[in-house]
């Protein structure tokens, strides 16, 4: 007994000790902290009944899923209030799996169920009742079965309590099947029900009386009427707070029913409302089945749409919000009216070739980490070339003893933590394992060894990053690729149809005419851009699709929709193989097969649905409400916080890998199965669409020999180059304004000498600046642009989309219009503002010299950009070359004073030959008057060029040398494209 001096902490300790020391007899004491679960028809009035029971004046709101509240009530005056827990299940029968959440082994002894059935919908009545009670009963029986082993006395008490609802001398004692926990059935909306025909009310009333009596439940009809709500409230208070149960009974079907459990009988209920002949024709095993058939004959069950409404609550009127619905309607109007991107599950574009089988057997793969370091980083660390690959410790095993088998119609996801070997596995399969070596094992496609030639014919590889031209639309991007990748026997109409099929299959119609964009240009969304990258590879209809982390950089919703698209592609008789880090749970459920890797070893390989069971058998069950992918990737990750944790996690991963190898050693497909007879192969033939004659055009294994020729590739690439460049109006305008502004700055600096010609020194400086200032900006712009396209070029050449030669000529000719416009905007104003020789012949010769000089700078920038892997290195080397040409150009220091090395550099300096040519044009036919004191001298222009050593060659030689320099740089550019892999710094 507590004392007045006891603190709150003392009272709490005493209460805990009291509960812990309770003797065995306490197990049979009544527990007043009870729980009730309200469930039933959607919009059946559950919330209203619950709020009125708890005496709350709130406005009822729709129940989205499973909601919880509690109530407190004192049974007598001056006694502590008892607490009752109330759960409400929304969504009708669509969320019935949530029933297992509130009912647990800890509270089942004090749990009760309230089933609310909408009397105004008799056609849904039996279906709703049967589904909800069946799920509840199954879950409750599982809990009771466990309790019989752990606490048999409590389990026996619960069963005996339900049997006691009927006295043993009751005539129906052996004919009923009591529900395992207390059950109250409430028939709602009686105000509508009483307007039904008398015979209809009788059938429904008799049926519900039988159900309630058969399950040992209480039955009450209610509506919004206060009097009827009080009767329902009395039953609920009895279940929740232990109030006395009413003994009154009302069984007249013309009045609201009110029947406590155990106070009805089969004799009072009567036979089912059907003729004896109809009952005799019905084949049933239990009375419940007989009543069900009789009831459904009168009220045929209607398919309930709860599940559909729950999946798209935005279409449910009970969740209507004007502002949100208005924005959604506007968005839907902007979509293509004949196509819904996410809800359409049709297969528009299937693989019509033979099924493919990809098999990897006991693969061991090793990488020389030293070779993965770019050469420029080695030089930055002051390492000599002979020491780059000599360290034996740099050889690391990336994949160890890996085996897998996947075939058409399946989607295999390779998951695992970072540095687990996922990307390396994809690179080995696609024969892009640069810097690595297969130590043992083999990879086969359709039982043929995997070679680069075979991969190019049947495997499409989608990289992690999107490499697309930003200024082309989605349809234009795919159409250009279709012209390059599809065999030349395809007609234009067939190519366009193939593009439209791919757009439809990837759900891109709503953005087909939108620019692709990039991080600097607004275009399609990230998920749509990723689907365009998939479409680029899908155009030639490969049988095997491999994707490296396709969901990276995408939000969870977009990633989910993307994987749905990949799942649909697999259903089109394709083999889909992708790598991911830790997919969310709804993405994980879309996978057919899962390969879990940790530090290059296989921890699990099998169906996604069996993964949890496999690890549960090993003693690693996935916690409830956890994502299996997250949990098991974390379980197998290597923790490198400290040496102890790293060793522990490595040992765990190694143990799990050895256990898996032991379990699948006898399986030919290297997949773990629940039972030996399980077959995880999908019947992809059943999923394939029927193709018409035009769709059935198939790319043969030798279609790569039938790709468009050089001239066709050139015209396609030229058209693509021009379309992309001239859509970039902002860049073109900036370059044009830059040239015009520099022309004006230099021109106005020398403006105002119409009557008196510029001095020899000023003219010489002007001519050198004209040829030396603008090429430097051209070099930087061209290098930056080439490096922005470098990664796409590298991937296109690796995929065999086109060869170097057509790309080279398309690049050169495609940029000529921009170059000509640039030189015109720059060269014309400066010539006339500076009052140079106005004759057309001199102007044209001067313009040609500037044109060749600027184009020499452009050609040099192209070569430098193709030669070096990073933008910084290319800009540095280009700056070094330009500065060397600038200093040896004959203006900073005369050519005759140059020592050997600068002298030879001046021989290939396009600035020197441009300066020499313009000096000869401007000075050869002129005579300058120079006054010294009172004496005036006549100085021929040739003497000026001679003094600067710029008359050693005729004028035409300058043009020939400039043309030779342009051709030399272009040749170097071509050779760099041809023999140097155009990797960007991200691809090393």
């Amino acid at each position: 007994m507590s004392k007045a001096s006891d603190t709150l902490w003392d009272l709490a300790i005493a209460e805990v000790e009291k509960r812990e020391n309770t003797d065995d007899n306490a197990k049979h004491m009544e527990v007043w902290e009870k729980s009730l679960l309200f469930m039933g028809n959607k919009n059946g009035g559950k919330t209203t009944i619950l709020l009125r029971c708890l005496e709350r004046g709130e406005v009822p709101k729709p129940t989205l899923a499973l909601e919880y509240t509690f109530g407190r009530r004192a049974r007598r005056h001056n006694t502590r209030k008892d607490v009752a827990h109330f759960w409400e299940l929304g969504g009708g029968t669509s969320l019935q799996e949530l029933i297992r959440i509130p009912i647990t082994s800890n509270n089942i002894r004090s749990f009760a169920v309230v089933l609310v059935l909408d009397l105004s919908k008799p056609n849904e009545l039996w279906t709703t009742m049967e589904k909800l009670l069946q799920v509840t009963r199954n879950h409750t029986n599982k809990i009771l079965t466990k309790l019989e082993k752990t606490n048999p006395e409590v389990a026996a008490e619960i069963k005996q309590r339900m049997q006691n609802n009927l006295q043993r001398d009751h005539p129906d004692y052996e004919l009923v099947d009591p529900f395992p926990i207390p059950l109250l059935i409430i028939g709602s909306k009686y105000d509508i029900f009483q307007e039904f025909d008398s015979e209809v009310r009788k059938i429904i009333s008799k049926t519900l009386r039988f159900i309630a009596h058969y399950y040992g439940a209480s039955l009450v009809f209610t509506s919004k009427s206060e009097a009827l709500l009080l009767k329902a409230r009395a039953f609920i208070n009895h279940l929740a707070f232990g109030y006395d149960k009413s003994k009154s009974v009302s069984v007249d079907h013309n009045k609201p029913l009110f029947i406590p459990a155990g106070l009805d009988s089969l004799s009072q209920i009567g036979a089912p409302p059907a003729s004896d002949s109809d009952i005799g024709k019905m084949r049933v095993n239990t009375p419940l089945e007989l009543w069900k058939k009789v009831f459904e004959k009168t009220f045929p069950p209607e398919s309930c749409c709860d599940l559909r409404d729950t999946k798209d609550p935005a279409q449910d009127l009970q969740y209507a919000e004007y502002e949100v619905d208005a924005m959604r309607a506007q968005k839907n109007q902007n979509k293509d009216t004949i196509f819904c991107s996410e809800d359409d599950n049709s297969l528009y574009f299937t693989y019509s070739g033979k099924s493919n089988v990809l098999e990897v057997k006991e693969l061991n793969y090793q990488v020389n980490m030293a070779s993965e370091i770019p050469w420029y980083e080695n030089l930055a660390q002051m390492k000599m070339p002979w020491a780059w690959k000599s360290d034996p410790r740099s050889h690391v095993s990336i994949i160890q003893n890996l085996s897998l088998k996947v075939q058409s119609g399946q989607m295999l996801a390779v998951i695992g933590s970072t540095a687990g070997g996922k990307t390396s596995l994809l690179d080995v399969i696609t024969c892009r394992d640069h810097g690595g070596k297969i130590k043992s094992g083999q990879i086969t496609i359709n039982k043929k060894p995997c070679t680069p030639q075979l991969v190019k014919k049947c495997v499409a590889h989608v990289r992690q990053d999107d490499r697309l031209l930003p200024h082309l639309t989605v349809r234009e991007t795919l159409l250009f690729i279709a012209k390059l990748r599809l065999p030349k026997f395809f007609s234009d109409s067939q190519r366009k149809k193939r593009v439209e099929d791919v757009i439809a299959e990837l759900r891109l119609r709503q953005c087909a005419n939108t620019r692709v964009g990039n991080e600097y240009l607004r275009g399609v969304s990230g998920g749509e851009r990723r689907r365009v990258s998939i479409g680029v590879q899908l155009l030639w209809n490969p049988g095997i699709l491999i994707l490296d982390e396709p969901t990276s950089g995408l939000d969870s919703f977009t990633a989910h929709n993307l994987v749905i698209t990949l799942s649909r592609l697999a259903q089109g008789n394709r083999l889909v193989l992708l790598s991911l880090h830790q997919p969310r749970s709804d993405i994980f459920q879309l996978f057919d097969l899962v390969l879990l890797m940790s530090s290059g070893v296989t921890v699990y390989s099998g169906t996604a649905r069996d993964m949890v069971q496999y690890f549960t058998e090993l003693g690693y069950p996935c916690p409830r409400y956890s994502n299996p992918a997250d949990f098991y990737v974390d379980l197998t990750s290597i923790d490198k916080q400290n040496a102890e944790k790293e060793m522990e996690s490595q040992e765990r991963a190694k143990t799990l890998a050895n256990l898996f190898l032991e379990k699948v050693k006898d399986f030919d497909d290297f997949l773990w199965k629940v039972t030996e007879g399980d077959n995880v192969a999908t019947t992809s033939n059943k999923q394939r669409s029927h193709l018409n004659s035009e769709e059935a055009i198939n790319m043969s294994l030798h279609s790569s020999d039938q790709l468009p020729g050089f001239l066709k590739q050139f015209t396609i690439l030229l058209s693509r180059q021009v379309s992309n460049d001239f859509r970039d109006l902002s860049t073109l305008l900036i370059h044009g304004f830059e040239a015009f502004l520099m022309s004006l700055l230099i021109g106005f600096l020398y403006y105002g000498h119409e009557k008196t010609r510029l001095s020899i020194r000023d003219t010489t400086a002007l001519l050198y600046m004209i040829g030396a200032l603008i090429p430097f900006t051209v070099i930087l712009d061209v290098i930056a642009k080439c490096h922005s396209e470098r990664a796409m070029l590298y991937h296109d050449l690796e995929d065999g989309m086109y060869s170097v030669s057509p790309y080279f000529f398309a690049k050169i000719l495609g940029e000529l219009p921009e170059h000509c416009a640039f030189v015109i905007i720059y060269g014309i104003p400066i010539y006339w503002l500076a009052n140079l020789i106005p004759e057309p012949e001199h102007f044209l010769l001067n313009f040609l010299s500037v044109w060749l000089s600027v184009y020499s700078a452009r050609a040099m920038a192209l070569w430098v950009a193709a030669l070096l892997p990073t933008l910084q290195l290319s800009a540095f080397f280009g700056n070094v070359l330009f500065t060397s040409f600038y200093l040896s150009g004959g203006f900073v220091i005369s050519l005759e004073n140059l020592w050997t090395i600068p002298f030879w550099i001046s021989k290939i300096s396009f600035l020197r030959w441009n300066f020499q040519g313009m000096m000869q044009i401007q000075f050869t036919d002129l005579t300058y008057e120079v006054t010294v004191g009172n004496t005036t001298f006549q100085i021929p222009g040739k003497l000026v060029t001679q003094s600067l050593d710029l008359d050693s060659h005729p004028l035409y030689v300058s043009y020939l040398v400039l043309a030779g320099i342009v051709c030399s740089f272009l040749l170097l550019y071509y050779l760099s494209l041809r023999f140097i892999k155009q990797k960007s710094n991200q691809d090393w």
Side-chain angles (χ1 to χ4, degrees):
M1 185 172 179
S2 61
K3 302 177 183 179
S5 61
D6 287 345
T7 64
L8 183 61
W9 182 252
D10 295 330
L11 295 174
I13 294 176
E15 181 66 21
V16 171
E17 291 176 348
K18 179 182 176 181
R19 294 184 181 183
E20 291 178 348
N21 297 328
T22 302
D23 58 13
D24 294 339
N25 293 330
K27 295 180 181 179
H28 303 284
M29 293 175 59
E30 197 67 45
V31 180
W32 291 116
E33 190 166 312
K34 297 192 175 184
S35 301
L36 271 68
L37 172 62
F38 283 73
M39 58 186 184
N41 290 93
K42 188 175 183 179
N43 301 323
K46 301 183 291 296
T47 306
T48 301
I49 296 171
L50 179 58
L51 293 176
R52 297 299 290 272
C53 173
L54 297 176
E55 298 180 355
R56 296 179 183 175
E58 303 173 12
V59 178
K61 296 181 180 179
T63 304
L64 297 180
L66 183 66
E67 297 189 4
Y68 166 80
T69 188
F70 68 94
R72 301 179 66 190
R73 194 71 51 81
R75 283 178 284 164
R76 290 180 300 275
H77 185 61
N78 289 334
T79 60
R80 68 181 181 87
K81 292 184 178 182
D82 296 312
V83 177
H85 307 277
F86 294 91
W87 299 82
E88 183 181 354
L89 180 68
T93 60
S94 63
L95 302 174
Q96 58 190 10
E97 294 301 322
L98 298 179
I99 290 175
R100 67 186 65 184
I101 296 176
I103 308 178
T104 66
S105 57
N106 295 327
N107 66 4
I108 191 172
R109 188 160 164 250
S110 58
F111 206 95
V113 173
V114 180
L115 178 64
V116 181
L117 298 176
D118 190 345
L119 297 176
S120 66
K121 300 177 181 178
N123 297 86
E124 298 180 9
L125 191 147
W126 192 285
T127 302
T128 302
M129 178 272 300
E130 185 177 47
K131 288 184 177 180
L132 294 176
L133 291 186
Q134 186 65 42
V135 173
T136 306
R137 185 165 203 153
N138 291 341
H139 180 61
T140 305
N141 287 337
K142 289 181 180 179
I143 295 177
L144 291 176
T145 302
K146 293 181 179 179
L147 280 177
E148 288 177 351
K149 300 178 180 179
T150 59
N151 199 339
E153 295 182 6
V154 173
E157 175 198 340
I158 294 173
K159 292 183 179 179
Q160 186 60 42
R161 183 177 59 190
M162 295 311 300
Q163 292 289 344
N164 292 340
N165 282 337
L166 284 182
Q167 301 296 327
R168 287 191 175 273
D169 56 353
H170 195 287
D172 305 331
Y173 187 81
E174 300 294 337
L175 300 177
V176 298
D177 183 16
F179 206 70
I181 55 179
L183 173 65
L184 169 62
I185 299 177
I186 299 179
S188 64
K189 300 186 180 180
Y190 180 78
D191 50 342
I192 302 176
F193 173 74
Q194 65 183 353
E195 298 177 0
F196 288 178
D197 183 74
S198 175
E199 189 63 28
V200 172
R201 296 201 309 271
K202 181 178 180 181
I203 295 174
I204 297 174
S205 298
K206 289 186 66 175
T207 302
L208 289 180
R209 285 180 62 190
F210 171 79
I211 293 172
H213 183 63
Y214 185 79
Y215 284 130
S218 300
L219 176 65
V220 61
F221 284 1
T222 187
S223 67
K224 294 183 179 179
S225 167
E226 189 65 32
L228 294 181
L229 281 172
L230 284 174
K231 292 184 177 182
R233 181 180 171 185
F235 274 116
I236 295 173
N237 283 335
H238 167 70
L239 294 174
F241 302 106
Y243 282 24
D244 293 336
K245 184 167 58 174
S246 175
K247 299 294 184 180
S248 61
V249 178
S250 174
V251 296
D252 186 357
H253 70 271
N254 292 315
K255 297 179 181 179
L257 298 182
F258 185 87
I259 310 172
L263 299 184
D264 207 349
S265 66
L266 295 178
S267 60
Q268 293 179 6
I269 297 172
S275 63
D276 294 339
S277 60
D278 290 341
I279 293 177
K281 295 178 182 178
M282 297 178 182
R283 298 180 180 180
V284 295
N285 297 321
T286 64
L288 190 65
E289 292 182 9
L290 176 62
W291 279 86
K292 176 182 178 181
K293 290 198 173 185
V294 171
F295 185 82
E296 291 184 343
K297 184 177 181 181
T298 307
F299 304 105
E302 294 180 355
S303 58
C304 182
C305 60
D306 291 339
L307 184 59
R308 181 193 64 205
D309 292 342
T310 304
K311 281 189 173 180
D312 189 9
Q315 303 299 329
D316 196 329
L317 296 179
Q318 67 173 327
Y319 305 128
E321 295 184 47
Y322 175 76
E323 293 83 359
V324 176
D325 293 342
M327 288 188 292
R328 183 181 179 90
Q330 183 179 3
K331 182 178 180 180
N332 290 336
Q333 289 177 358
N334 295 334
K335 290 184 177 181
D336 192 343
T337 56
I338 64 171
F339 185 78
C340 182
S341 62
E342 302 300 341
D343 298 334
D344 187 358
N345 291 319
S346 305
L347 295 177
Y348 291 87
F349 182 53
T350 61
Y351 175 65
S352 54
K354 295 181 179 180
S355 297
N356 295 285
V357 178
L358 172 64
E359 190 170 359
V360 179
K361 290 185 178 180
E362 299 179 355
L363 177 66
N364 287 278
Y365 177 68
Q366 192 178 73
V367 170
N368 183 3
M369 302 303 294
S371 66
E372 297 296 305
I373 302 175
W375 57 266
Y376 51 87
E377 289 189 10
N378 282 316
L379 289 178
Q381 297 175 9
M382 305 302 292
K383 290 183 180 180
M384 295 298 101
W386 53 85
W388 289 355
K389 300 180 182 181
S390 60
D391 189 358
R393 294 175 297 177
S394 63
H395 294 273
V396 178
S397 293
I398 301 298
I399 299 174
Q400 303 173 37
N401 200 22
L402 184 143
S403 299
L404 64 86
K405 186 177 182 180
V406 60
Q407 56 190 359
S408 295
Q410 293 178 333
M411 179 166 61
L412 169 64
V414 184
I415 64 175
S417 59
T418 304
K422 304 184 297 299
T423 301
S424 296
L425 174 61
L426 302 188
D427 289 340
V428 173
I429 293 176
T430 55
C431 298
R432 291 182 172 88
D433 51 322
H434 306 296
K437 181 179 181 181
I438 297 178
K439 302 296 291 184
S440 62
Q442 60 177 345
I443 303 173
T444 59
I445 298 176
N446 300 328
K447 298 184 178 180
K448 297 179 180 179
C450 190
T451 61
Q453 294 75 21
L454 181 61
V455 167
K456 286 186 178 181
K457 292 175 181 177
C458 60
V459 178
H461 187 196
V462 181
R463 279 81 172 181
Q464 183 174 346
D465 48 348
D466 303 308
R467 299 298 185 182
L468 304 167
L469 293 177
H471 298 283
L472 299 180
T473 65
V474 171
R475 180 175 279 110
E476 288 172 340
T477 298
L478 296 177
L479 189 57
F480 278 124
I481 301 299
K483 293 178 179 178
L484 290 168
R485 290 300 297 266
L486 297 182
K488 54 188 176 184
F489 59 77
F490 269 56
S491 64
D492 289 340
S493 61
Q494 289 171 340
R495 296 176 195 273
K496 291 180 180 178
K497 181 157 192 324
R498 175 64 63 86
V499 169
E500 295 302 322
D501 287 342
V502 170
I503 288 175
E505 185 63 50
L506 297 176
R507 287 19 181 196
L508 291 170
R509 281 187 181 171
Q510 70 274 13
C511 63
N513 296 317
T514 305
R515 290 188 183 187
V516 173
N518 55 18
E519 61 269 27
Y520 307 110
L521 176 69
R522 185 181 180 89
V524 297
S525 67
E528 290 168 338
R529 189 177 300 116
R530 193 62 51 85
R531 278 183 274 173
V532 175
S533 297
I534 297 173
V536 167
Q537 298 295 336
L538 197 62
L539 275 170
W540 58 282
N541 202 9
I544 302 175
L545 189 62
I546 296 179
L547 306 99
D548 185 12
E549 298 188 17
T551 60
S552 294
L554 304 180
D555 61 85
S556 57
F557 177 77
T558 305
H560 181 231
N561 287 334
L562 177 64
V563 179
I564 289 176
T565 300
L566 297 177
S567 177
R568 192 164 48 238
L569 293 177
Q571 294 174 14
N573 195 34
R574 294 183 182 87
L575 189 159
V576 178
L577 176 62
L578 68 154
S579 65
L580 299 97
H581 278 294
Q582 288 175 284
R584 73 181 200 180
S585 56
D586 53 359
I587 293 178
F588 181 78
Q589 295 172 2
L590 295 172
F591 301 143
D592 298 312
L593 304 173
V594 171
L595 173 64
L596 175 58
M597 299 181 66
S598 176
S599 298
V601 297
T602 304
V603 179
Y604 173 80
S605 180
T607 59
R609 66 175 181 270
D610 295 332
M611 184 174 175
V612 175
Q613 181 175 346
Y614 170 79
F615 281 100
T616 301
E617 293 180 1
L618 296 181
Y620 298 98
C622 180
R624 181 180 289 187
Y625 314 126
S626 295
N627 177 9
D630 285 339
F631 180 74
Y632 291 120
V633 168
D634 291 343
L635 176 68
T636 57
S637 297
I638 306 301
D639 189 349
K640 297 186 178 181
Q641 294 185 18
N642 53 58
E644 182 180 352
K645 289 185 177 181
E646 182 176 0
M647 183 177 298
E648 179 184 351
S649 56
Q650 286 178 345
E651 187 65 29
R652 181 173 59 244
K654 184 178 179 181
T655 301
L656 291 173
N658 292 334
L659 287 172
F660 176 77
L661 290 176
E662 183 66 24
K663 288 179 177 292
V664 300
K665 63 181 181 180
D666 297 328
F667 295 144
D668 293 335
D669 53 4
F670 318 109
L671 300 175
W672 183 82
K673 307 175 183 63
V674 178
T675 59
E676 191 170 351
D678 284 354
N679 183 15
V680 298
T682 58
T683 56
S684 58
N685 291 333
K686 295 181 181 179
Q687 299 169 334
R688 293 175 58 184
S689 305
H690 296 287
L691 303 177
N692 57 37
S693 58
E694 188 174 15
E695 290 172 324
I697 295 176
N698 206 16
M699 293 183 68
S700 65
L701 290 177
H702 301 286
S703 59
S704 59
D705 300 331
Q706 304 171 8
L707 293 179
F710 170 85
L711 187 60
K712 185 68 174 178
Q713 289 183 3
F714 166 72
T715 56
I716 295 170
L717 291 172
L718 179 61
S719 176
R720 188 179 74 167
Q721 178 80 27
V722 172
S723 298
N724 183 70
D725 288 350
F726 282 83
R727 295 262 182 88
D728 190 6
L729 291 179
S730 60
T731 301
L732 292 177
L733 290 175
I734 290 173
H735 287 172
F737 179 75
E738 178 185 30
F740 185 65
L741 181 61
M742 293 190 69
S743 177
L744 292 180
L745 289 175
I746 299 174
F748 281 121
L749 180 64
Y750 293 91
Y751 181 70
H753 297 275
E754 294 87 352
K755 296 181 180 180
T756 59
R757 189 181 298 116
L758 286 172
S759 66
I760 295 176
R761 189 188 68 173
D762 292 344
T763 304
T764 303
L766 169 64
L767 295 178
Y768 194 75
M769 277 194 297
I770 290 176
L773 290 185
I774 200 64
F776 184 68
T777 62
V778 172
I779 291 173
L780 296 181
D781 291 337
V782 171
I783 289 176
K785 181 180 179 182
C786 286
H787 274 278
S788 68
E789 301 173 352
R790 186 182 177 110
M792 185 194 70
L793 173 63
Y794 170 68
H795 292 156
D796 288 350
L797 294 176
E798 285 283 298
D799 292 338
M801 192 176 298
Y802 46 80
S803 58
V804 169
S805 298
Y807 173 81
F808 169 79
F809 287 104
K811 177 76 173 175
I812 298 304
L813 294 180
E815 293 184 349
L816 272 180
E818 178 186 355
H819 172 73
C820 292
F822 185 85
V823 176
I824 289 173
I825 295 173
Y826 173 73
I828 293 179
I830 199 174
Y831 190 89
W832 301 107
L833 286 173
N835 194 29
L836 297 176
I837 299 177
E839 281 78 7
E841 178 185 357
H842 290 74
F843 168 73
L844 292 175
L845 290 173
N846 185 86
F847 178 82
L848 178 59
S849 181
V850 174
W851 192 95
L852 288 172
S853 175
V854 176
Y855 199 77
S856 297
R858 178 179 292 273
M860 185 188 76
L862 290 173
W863 169 56
V864 170
L867 178 68
L868 298 172
T870 68
L871 174 63
Q872 294 79 5
L873 283 175
S874 296
F876 168 75
F877 187 53
N879 188 18
V880 169
L881 287 178
F882 181 81
T883 304
S884 301
F885 295 157
Y886 178 86
L887 296 176
S888 61
F891 176 76
V892 177
I893 183 173
S894 62
L895 296 178
E896 62 182 7
N897 292 328
L898 292 174
W899 62 288
T900 306
I901 295 179
F903 177 78
W904 284 105
I905 293 177
S906 69
K907 295 290 186 180
I908 58 173
S909 170
F910 55 87
L911 297 180
R912 174 262 175 100
W913 293 105
N914 174 60
F915 181 50
Q916 178 172 316
M918 288 194 297
M919 287 289 290
Q920 292 182 7
I921 293 170
Q922 296 297 325
F923 282 92
T924 299
D925 298 331
L926 293 180
T927 301
Y928 284 85
E929 294 182 353
V930 178
T931 303
V932 180
N934 296 325
T935 307
T936 301
F937 298 94
Q938 298 287 332
I939 300 178
K942 287 185 177 181
L943 187 61
V944 176
T945 58
Q946 184 178 0
S947 64
L948 294 174
D949 198 19
L950 297 175
D951 65 341
S952 56
H953 301 87
L955 178 61
Y956 73 88
V957 174
S958 297
Y959 292 105
L960 291 177
V961 173
L962 284 174
I965 292 174
V966 169
C967 294
S968 299
F969 279 133
L970 291 180
L971 178 61
L972 291 173
Y973 174 51
Y974 176 82
L975 294 176
S976 298
L977 292 176
R978 183 73 176 80
F979 297 106
I980 299 177
K981 290 186 178 296
Q982 296 301 298
K983 287 185 177 182
S984 67
N985 58 339
Q986 298 177 357
D987 292 318
W988 281 91

